[in-house]
Amino acid sequence: MNALLLLLSVLLVVSALFLSRLKDDLLSSIVVLAVFGLLSSLLFLALRAPDVAIAEAGIGAALTTAIFLVAWRAVSRSPSANPSRKPDAGKGDRE
């Protein structure tokens, strides 16, 4: 049973890595992080560590995802994130 849980945790980490790198969309990576946090909290629960599972679900999945979503929303609203805006002349000339 422990070997199965270890294999499951390794597969979880590897799949989260591939899913987050699959797309360049930042929102998709945030969703993958949330799912990874929830699945890892279920894994901690299966390992008979309910206190760690609750902490992972509360902090790792919920709070961290909320902070990333707020930051993503603030960045996507900023004028510098708008690709249609032309860069200032002379800014890229310096090396």
Side-chain angles (χ1 to χ4, degrees):
M1 182 69 176
N2 286 339
L4 180 65
L5 288 175
L6 180 64
L7 180 66
L8 182 66
S9 64
V10 169
L11 286 175
L12 180 67
V13 170
V14 171
S15 64
L17 173 74
F18 283 125
L19 285 175
S20 66
R21 301 298 267 164
L22 189 62
K23 290 187 175 183
D24 289 335
D25 185 24
L26 189 59
L27 183 60
S28 298
S29 296
I30 293 171
V31 170
V32 168
L33 176 71
V35 170
F36 176 73
L38 287 174
L39 290 177
S40 62
S41 68
L42 290 175
L43 187 64
F44 285 131
L45 192 60
L47 289 170
R48 298 182 189 160
D51 53 340
V52 179
I54 291 171
E56 176 63 32
I59 297 170
L63 185 64
T64 306
T65 304
I67 290 171
F68 281 147
L69 284 174
V70 168
W72 172 77
R73 188 174 179 189
V75 168
S76 65
R77 285 186 175 181
S78 69
S80 63
N82 190 357
S84 64
R85 183 176 174 224
K86 295 181 181 178
D88 294 336
K91 257 192 174 177
D93 295 340
R94 296 184 210 156
E95 290 185 17

